[in-house]
Amino acid sequence: MAWQHPADILLEAWLDTQDRHLGHYVNGKWLKPEHRNSVPCQDPITGENLASCLQAQAEDVAAAVEAARTALENWSTLPGARRAQHLTRLAKMIQKHQRLLWTLESLVTGRAVREVRDRDVPLAQQLLQYHAVQAHTQEEALAGWEPMGVIGLIVPPTFSFLEMMWRICPALAVGCTVVVLVPPASPAPLLLAQLAGELGSFPGILNVISGPTSLGPVLASQPGVQKVAFCGAVEEGRALRRTLAGQGLELSLALGAESLLLLTEAADVDSAVEGVVDATWSDRSQGGLRLLIQESVWDETMTRLQARMGRLRVGRGLDGAVDMGARGAAARDLAQRYVREAQSQGAQVFQAGDVPSDSPFYPPTLISDLPPASPCAQTEVPWPLVVASPFRTAKEALAVANGTPRGGSASVWSERLGQALELGYGLRMGIVWINAHGLRDPAVPTGGCKESGSSWHGGPDGLYEYLQPSGTPARQPSLSENLNYDTFGLAVPSTLPAGPETGPSPAPPYGLFVGGRFQAPGARSSRPIQDSHGNLHGYVAEGGAKDIRGAVEAAHQAAPGWVGQSPGARAALLGALAAALERRESALAARLERHGVELKVAKAEVELSVRRLRAWGARAQAQGHTLQVAELRGPVLRLREPLGVLAIVCPDEWPLLAFVSLLAPALAHGNTVVLVPSGTCPIPALEVCQDVATLLPAGLVNVVTGDRDHLTRCMALHQDVQALWYFGSVQGSQFVEWASAGNLKPVWVNRGLPRAWDQDAEGAGPELGLRAAQTKALWLPMGD
Amino acid sequence: MGVPIFITAVTNCCWIGADNCVILGILGTDLSWISKVQVNHPAVLRRAQQVQARRTVKKEWQAAWLLKAVTFIDLTTLSGDDTSSNVQRLCYKAKYPIREDLLKALNMHDKDITTAAVCVYPARVCDAVRALKAAGCNIPVASVATGFPAGQTHLKTRLEEIRLAVEDGASEIDVVINRSLVLTGQWEALYDEIRQFRKACGEAHLKTILATGELGSLTNVYKASMIAMMAGSDFIKTSTGKETVNATFPVAIVMLRAIRDFFWKTGNKIGFKPAGGIRSAKDALAWLSLIKEELGDEWLKPELFRIGASTLLSDIERQIYHHVTGRYAAYHDLPMS
């Protein structure tokens, strides 16, 4: 090329400072170990070699984690104000070198420079500034929480450096240090780490190593790493979830990139068409789009969409006048394969736009008439494809939109306020935009639900991802290597009659409490419960897979009614339950006494349980709030929505208090629950069920007794259980983590560690409230 | 304004405007689509913001686009102190918009690059016609009319104004609409008035100024655009340049979408003229790329696109000067208009 753009010259100069040989950036220095494989970093359009990049090995990962651990000691104990200062300095550093950053990012990823320059880079700075403010107020606003420690972050190839910023900013702000594993040949994160390193102080807080995603488990297994945050493809996330089961660290997943656009007949169709462009054909998002169009405006929308597509320009990312760049051979092949398959399944394919004929480019593509039952219609839509399908009514649109395992982001286009809100609230998605698509802001939490993974970044939720309640014990690697996932809890030990029942009190009604009444278990067998002297106290029903199935069904049926209740009504019912518990105090205390609890302590336990119910009822009233976003006229609602059907395995200890402490926040936040009570002492929980039966709607609370491992297995593998809390053995925790990969339900496990249920911090702390609901951000731009 | 009233108003138009029945015949059978039109304000604002940054052209491409922009300019003077001398100067500038040596350097000197028209007050039409004749060119003279800029005079005098301007030799008439009719929802009356303007123009082209800054909402802008086109305007124009808010990208996007819808429904291409507040070469490029994006290349010709401006031309000339010489021009390097 005869004439070189000044930006290119700048880029070449930077690469030359590294002798066109990029290593890792660890502890404020470039790390270039010898005897490593290297991969070329290429211009995706010309194939020209820009530099070679080292592939990390396990030792390099260990070195990076070591640097992060060392830095953590100092960084995590700094006053928030000092951390804020440092983040602000980094924001300024990015501002000073933004041209290099955007050129590098656009050149290597192939994305249109306009998007990187005008959106990503300013947003990266805003992220740092927003989180600097959060760090500043941390001591006040986040009292009772402490940083987790070293965070491992795994970013896949197709994601921009901004995805990394979304995660490292909150982590650094709250006092964690970070090791980022980026795919080889993605130099922008390395440049960012260098900019951070060149600030001088705190060199080891941000370390970037480049290597294949397969190093993820190695990164996770390093001592000191408390949490791994992964973003990428769904299947990779699933695999990582299974691999890391039982390793004693937190894993947060942000999976998939498909988005959804719902276009009603009451929409400004032209603007909605621009929304489609924003969503897929403007290099803003990583994935494709599912487009649902109301039948009555189908033809009109297709005409406008196709006309608009004809004016799109595809070309080299650094060209200032293109809409869409190239994303490399892998992305193109993926798109090609999908299109070919869709065609073979009967779909219509429309492609248009000004696209260079040479190979790395893929034109904007619109697919329609794809039969809903075809395999293609089920799989994730890749970039830069839009799959359009019609719907008849808003109700049907919701059913179609919610009928996929994905729960990332969606937009609703309707000028009718009532309809737009109905759809916005009804979509099971992490983010919903009304009459807009793809807006982001540091103050607004971004995340998802279902198989999109339940991790959050941005806003208050992003901070909690990297915080733990003060005093949480450090991670103990506890992988029991030989846990056989195939057989864990598979068989139920058979029980025979165990001698005469002793003691005075008649047992509560026999059976499993499912669907609002006590029912005989499917297996028609029972298990004996012994008191503290080893005498037989009574029999409880032996629940099994079928009983769990029935309980989950009952819970699903009860869910819409309970969600529809106002928080006030929920609080009233919890209050009524508390009052009933109070009346039952002596009976409950007697039960507990039989299990070896001193009468005074037993009474205290009942009393505390009553208080917990009332407290959560009151807390349920204050949920969610409105966020104000710069540059957006109108509010963003941060909604706290129920998880759905929540399965809870209660700990053996504190048979009543733990049961109530877990039940209360779950109900207060609108969930319906299936509980497995204490294994050694399930009777108090069943006592409570007698009051539940008369006070609460049927199916809201289901209590299944039986073999804990077996019931845990059934619930963890149940695809329609939407979240699971497990308090039991180390093996059980590991199994739950492993099995949750199935529907990627959020899980909370205790890893065999006891919990002080009688202390407010652990028994009724804000952590429970956080875990009992999921966030949804609803954007409501306004204007006339 | 209730939607059903609007439908009946427009439907009635079809029977009143008998001599425009070709277009209305096509539209007349089904008008429910107009009432369904929804304009989402924040979404249009976002699009407007994007469109300005979406395309950057540099170097020789930039120069070419700027020269093209010159040919779209309605070089305008609309001041209370206009006299024949400054109108004459304006006309001369219209004929020679870019310094001859600069055009030679670009090898464009024999392409007859002039502005699209000159635009003056009715009382100055004679001066302009005379000056252009003297300069030996056939650049059309456009005249504002109908109580410009407020339109708050009697219909009779407004119509008379048009006739007189046409008599004086104006071949394009920029009329202002009666905003009060839009704001009170009297779409039928608005249609009637523009029909009468149309008749009064005779052979002259009719450009209808919507004064979008005073219409209240983007939905009104869309509906007024549609009425103006149905009543037979050759162009729809954003503003007079005398309102507090003039040519902005959001209203332009709505008007362009209306033009496109009208084209799709009737097959008739109506022109577009933004005016007021377009001062820099960079602005002009953004406008050109907006037209290209929303309507396509076929609208990028003087018959279908104009920019109403007075100071824009000198900034474009300045940029061309820089492109040719590599230096930034001093004030006195370029002839004034």
Side-chain angles (χ1 to χ4, degrees):
Chain A
M1 199 162 69
W3 174 77
Q4 260 199 321
H5 196 276
D8 287 345
I9 299 168
L10 185 68
L11 177 63
E12 309 245 326
W14 179 70
L15 289 171
D16 285 338
T17 62
Q18 298 300 315
D19 299 325
R20 308 235 157 201
H21 182 65
L22 299 172
H24 318 295
Y25 200 82
V26 171
N27 206 15
K29 292 187 290 287
W30 285 95
L31 177 69
K32 294 182 184 172
E34 305 207 328
H35 313 298
R36 300 282 191 272
N37 295 333
S38 65
V39 285
C41 171
Q42 290 172 330
D43 180 335
I45 317 279
T46 61
E48 178 198 354
N49 259 359
L50 298 168
S52 66
C53 296
L54 286 182
Q55 292 247 52
Q57 288 185 359
E59 305 94 275
D60 309 331
V61 177
V65 172
E66 190 49 46
R69 278 178 72 181
T70 316
L72 180 69
E73 285 166 27
N74 190 3
W75 180 250
S76 62
T77 51
L78 279 182
R82 281 298 312 283
R83 282 202 295 273
Q85 217 177 5
H86 193 73
L87 292 182
T88 312
R89 283 181 65 205
L90 180 55
K92 285 184 183 150
M93 193 74 168
I94 290 180
Q95 191 179 21
K96 288 171 196 160
H97 298 282
Q98 49 176 311
R99 177 164 214 146
L100 178 57
L101 184 60
W102 84 53
T103 314
L104 185 65
E105 172 77 1
S106 168
L107 180 68
V108 175
T109 63
R111 293 169 64 222
V113 68
R114 153 189 56 79
E115 205 55 34
V116 183
R117 182 192 58 207
D118 300 345
R119 190 158 182 274
D120 291 4
V121 172
L123 191 50
Q125 292 173 51
Q126 287 164 19
L127 275 165
L128 284 162
Q129 271 145 4
Y130 172 82
H131 286 99
V133 173
Q134 304 308 310
H136 212 106
T137 57
Q138 187 182 2
E139 283 94 350
E140 258 174 81
L142 298 169
W145 297 84
E146 60 180 22
M148 279 184 167
V150 177
I151 308 295
L153 171 61
I154 305 170
V155 191
T158 48
F159 283 58
S160 82
F161 79 97
L162 197 60
E163 292 299 322
M164 174 180 121
M165 293 303 290
W166 275 106
R167 289 160 179 88
I168 62 171
C169 290
L172 292 178
V174 300
C176 295
T177 57
V178 188
V179 176
V180 189
L181 176 64
V182 297
S186 49
L190 286 166
L191 172 61
L192 266 173
Q194 188 193 350
L195 292 179
E198 285 179 0
L199 292 175
S201 35
F202 317 114
I205 57 168
L206 175 61
N207 308 280
V208 176
I209 46 177
S210 64
T213 317
S214 57
L215 274 177
V218 178
L219 172 60
S221 65
Q222 298 298 320
V225 175
Q226 287 287 344
K227 177 180 183 128
V228 169
F230 173 88
C231 54
V234 179
E235 284 317 310
E236 282 176 50
R238 236 190 263 280
L240 191 67
R241 174 65 281 178
R242 293 199 173 109
T243 316
L244 298 188
Q247 295 211 0
L249 46 71
E250 293 286 319
L251 173 66
S252 79
L253 301 169
L255 307 176
E258 185 190 286
S259 195
L260 178 96
L261 193 147
L262 217 158
L263 200 161
T264 69
E265 64 185 2
D268 173 355
V269 176
D270 282 309
S271 292
V273 165
E274 290 306 324
V276 176
V277 175
D278 285 346
T280 350
W281 300 321
S282 65
D283 275 352
R284 182 163 295 184
S285 88
Q286 326 287 337
L289 181 76
R290 209 167 279 277
L291 172 62
L292 298 181
I293 304 170
Q294 194 151 21
E295 228 170 14
S296 48
V297 286
W298 173 270
D299 291 334
E300 189 195 347
T301 307
M302 288 310 242
T303 317
R304 285 170 199 270
L305 202 51
Q306 292 177 355
R308 180 70 180 92
M309 285 170 78
R311 301 197 206 293
L312 291 169
R313 290 191 72 221
V314 180
R316 187 175 146 82
L318 280 175
D319 181 338
V322 299
D323 293 290
M324 214 167 91
R327 300 278 179 91
R332 185 202 56 215
D333 294 346
L334 186 66
Q336 233 159 23
R337 221 168 323 134
Y338 188 97
V339 166
R340 235 178 274 135
E341 241 167 78
Q343 263 169 331
S344 74
Q345 287 158 15
Q348 298 290 318
V349 175
F350 177 84
Q351 295 182 323
D354 176 1
V355 186
S357 54
D358 43 339
S359 66
F361 299 100
Y362 200 82
T365 304
L366 175 65
I367 297 175
S368 55
D369 299 337
L370 185 63
S374 64
C376 246
Q378 314 298 318
T379 47
E380 191 177 326
V381 180
W383 172 91
L385 272 46
V386 172
V387 175
S389 38
F391 67 88
R392 290 169 300 172
T393 61
K395 210 171 173 184
E396 188 182 52
L398 270 187
V400 174
N402 289 338
T404 71
R406 291 167 283 275
S409 59
S411 63
V412 172
W413 295 78
S414 171
E415 293 301 303
R416 291 216 302 268
L417 180 66
Q419 184 187 49
L421 288 176
E422 169 79 19
L423 289 168
Y425 273 79
L427 284 169
R428 293 208 16 104
M429 297 279 173
I431 320 164
V432 178
W433 299 282
I434 304 290
N435 293 325
H437 199 104
L439 305 180
R440 303 285 289 268
D441 190 273
V444 180
T446 304
C449 58
K450 298 203 272 189
E451 287 191 12
S452 296
S454 43
S455 74
W456 288 86
H457 37 273
D461 304 75
L463 298 173
Y464 288 115
E465 288 277 316
Y466 305 99
L467 289 167
Q468 57 192 15
S470 303
T472 305
R475 165 194 179 193
Q476 288 147 354
S478 54
L479 180 68
S480 63
E481 303 271 345
N482 48 11
L483 181 65
N484 187 335
Y485 295 122
D486 291 337
T487 57
F488 174 86
L490 191 61
V492 183
S494 52
T495 45
L496 297 169
E501 287 186 42
T502 59
S505 58
Y510 170 81
L512 307 168
F513 185 70
V514 172
R517 59 196 180 87
F518 287 90
Q519 301 183 359
R524 296 289 190 272
S525 63
S526 309
R527 64 172 30 227
I529 299 299
Q530 280 151 353
D531 64 17
S532 57
H533 304 295
N535 298 325
L536 183 65
H537 184 182
Y539 288 96
V540 294
E542 180 75 68
K546 289 221 169 102
D547 303 307
I548 292 294
R549 188 195 67 186
V552 171
E553 258 170 37
H556 270 291
Q557 274 172 11
W562 187 240
V563 174
Q565 299 266 21
S566 72
R570 281 185 221 148
L573 284 173
L574 286 178
L577 188 60
L581 231 63
E582 229 165 8
R583 286 194 293 275
R584 216 176 263 277
E585 183 184 358
S586 57
L588 284 166
R591 295 274 178 211
L592 293 169
E593 205 185 355
R594 251 201 103 174
H595 279 265
V597 186
E598 219 179 295
L599 183 62
K600 217 173 108 192
V601 180
K603 283 200 161 157
E605 184 174 345
V606 178
E607 209 175 287
L608 192 52
S609 303
V610 170
R611 274 218 306 275
R612 291 271 155 88
L613 278 170
R614 294 211 165 108
W616 280 109
R619 279 190 215 173
Q621 314 251 10
Q623 281 187 52
H625 54 261
T626 309
L627 303 166
Q628 202 58 53
V629 168
E631 290 175 35
L632 176 85
R633 293 197 57 228
V636 178
L637 306 183
R638 174 180 174 264
L639 308 174
R640 294 286 288 163
E641 295 191 333
L643 299 161
V645 173
L646 171 60
I648 303 175
V649 181
C650 300
D652 279 341
E653 68 271 17
W654 297 103
L656 176 67
L657 180 61
F659 172 79
V660 170
S661 299
L662 290 165
L663 177 67
L667 291 185
H669 285 88
N671 301 289
T672 53
V673 287
V674 178
L675 289 117
V676 175
S678 160
T680 52
C681 181
I683 311 251
L686 292 170
E687 276 293 349
V688 176
C689 287
Q690 296 182 68
D691 293 319
V692 172
T694 56
L695 292 171
L696 300 184
L700 179 57
V701 178
N702 303 278
V703 176
V704 180
T705 51
D707 182 71
R708 288 162 57 81
D709 284 352
H710 181 61
L711 296 176
T712 301
R713 179 184 184 91
C714 297
M715 296 198 296
L717 289 174
H718 199 304
Q719 291 283 102
D720 222 4
V721 165
Q722 280 140 340
L724 178 57
W725 296 352
Y726 178 84
F727 295 88
S729 63
V730 177
Q731 290 80 10
S733 301
Q734 181 178 347
F735 181 84
V736 164
E737 290 189 323
W738 176 85
S740 73
N743 65 348
L744 291 165
K745 57 172 84 71
V747 294
W748 181 21
V749 297
N750 71 332
R751 305 193 174 96
L753 297 173
R755 206 176 161 88
W757 293 102
D758 54 336
Q759 302 297 313
D760 271 354
E762 293 199 355
E767 189 186 10
L768 283 112
L770 272 180
R771 301 232 188 213
Q774 59 192 4
T775 302
K776 179 198 261 179
L778 183 59
W779 292 71
L780 296 167
M782 64 184 191
D784 175 45
Chain B
M1 177 208 63
V3 167
I5 301 167
F6 176 66
I7 302 174
T8 46
V10 173
T11 317
N12 289 342
C13 291
C14 309
W15 311 115
I16 301 160
D19 49 348
N20 201 26
C21 59
V22 188
I23 288 173
L24 292 180
I26 301 165
L27 285 173
T29 50
D30 176 24
L31 280 166
S32 57
W33 62 276
I34 298 185
S35 67
K36 278 193 200 153
V37 164
Q38 312 276 353
V39 180
N40 186 279
H41 188 258
V44 170
L45 291 190
R46 269 197 310 279
R47 167 78 177 135
Q49 219 169 24
Q50 278 177 8
V51 95
Q52 295 171 65
R54 199 116 203 173
R55 309 259 185 260
T56 36
V57 285
K58 297 281 179 204
K59 307 273 152 185
E60 56 267 43
W61 295 280
Q62 187 181 32
W65 276 95
L66 286 176
L67 284 184
K68 197 155 176 76
V70 169
T71 65
F72 298 139
I73 293 178
D74 274 4
L75 197 59
T76 304
T77 181
L78 293 170
S79 307
D81 56 0
D82 283 342
T83 63
S84 72
S85 70
N86 77 318
V87 167
Q88 191 180 5
R89 203 163 61 211
L90 186 83
C91 291
Y92 195 77
K93 187 70 181 172
K95 166 77 175 149
Y96 303 102
I98 306 287
R99 242 169 59 177
E100 188 74 7
D101 57 327
L102 298 178
L103 285 178
K104 259 192 189 132
L106 293 167
N107 200 23
M108 292 296 286
H109 53 285
D110 51 0
K111 295 289 191 295
D112 194 24
I113 291 179
T114 66
T115 67
V118 292
C119 181
V120 292
Y121 269 123
R124 299 271 77 79
V125 170
C126 285
D127 296 337
V129 170
R130 207 177 307 123
L132 286 169
K133 199 177 238 173
C137 63
N138 51 3
I139 298 173
V141 174
S143 166
V144 296
T146 67
F148 184 93
Q152 298 278 24
T153 57
H154 293 291
L155 181 59
K156 197 172 169 191
T157 61
R158 279 186 275 152
L159 290 170
E160 194 57 26
E161 226 181 303
I162 296 175
R163 286 187 204 106
L164 292 173
V166 173
E167 262 176 42
D168 284 352
S171 52
E172 302 181 0
I173 305 294
D174 291 20
V175 301
V176 291
I177 62 163
N178 190 337
R179 274 80 100 186
S180 65
L181 296 180
V182 174
L183 293 172
T184 54
Q186 302 182 55
W187 302 101
E188 193 178 330
L190 177 67
Y191 174 85
D192 268 352
E193 276 200 13
I194 302 175
R195 289 296 303 149
Q196 295 188 51
F197 295 158
R198 168 76 272 174
K199 266 187 211 146
C201 282
E203 292 295 301
H205 278 191
L206 173 66
K207 300 195 204 119
T208 306
I209 305 173
L210 303 178
T212 53
E214 295 176 351
L215 294 189
S217 74
L218 290 182
T219 308
N220 273 354
V221 170
Y222 182 92
K223 290 179 176 173
S225 304
M226 212 30 104
I227 297 289
M229 289 187 284
M230 291 164 82
S233 310
D234 297 296
F235 269 81
I236 51 175
K237 177 174 167 184
T238 57
S239 28
T240 59
K242 308 287 185 194
E243 292 97 48
T244 42
V245 180
N246 290 297
T248 62
F249 284 92
V251 294
I253 286 169
V254 172
M255 290 171 73
L256 292 173
R257 286 175 181 172
I259 289 174
R260 190 179 54 200
D261 288 346
F262 190 77
F263 172 62
W264 279 350
K265 297 277 175 192
T266 68
N268 279 31
K269 289 181 183 165
I270 305 298
F272 175 66
K273 177 177 174 185
I278 304 170
R279 295 196 180 85
S280 72
K282 200 177 158 208
D283 285 350
L285 290 178
W287 280 99
L288 259 59
S289 87
L290 174 67
I291 304 295
K292 191 175 158 71
E293 286 255 301
E294 288 285 337
L295 294 176
D297 287 334
E298 62 265 48
W299 255 268
L300 280 178
K301 50 187 182 188
E303 295 81 56
L304 288 172
F305 178 57
R306 298 285 178 82
I307 300 175
S310 41
T311 51
L312 170 65
L313 182 56
S314 49
D315 193 56
I316 291 182
E317 199 176 7
R318 198 172 293 280
Q319 298 304 324
I320 301 269
Y321 181 96
H322 177 248
H323 174 71
V324 170
T325 65
R327 296 157 191 251
Y328 291 106
Y331 178 71
H332 57 256
D333 280 331
L334 302 168
M336 65 186 288
S337 56

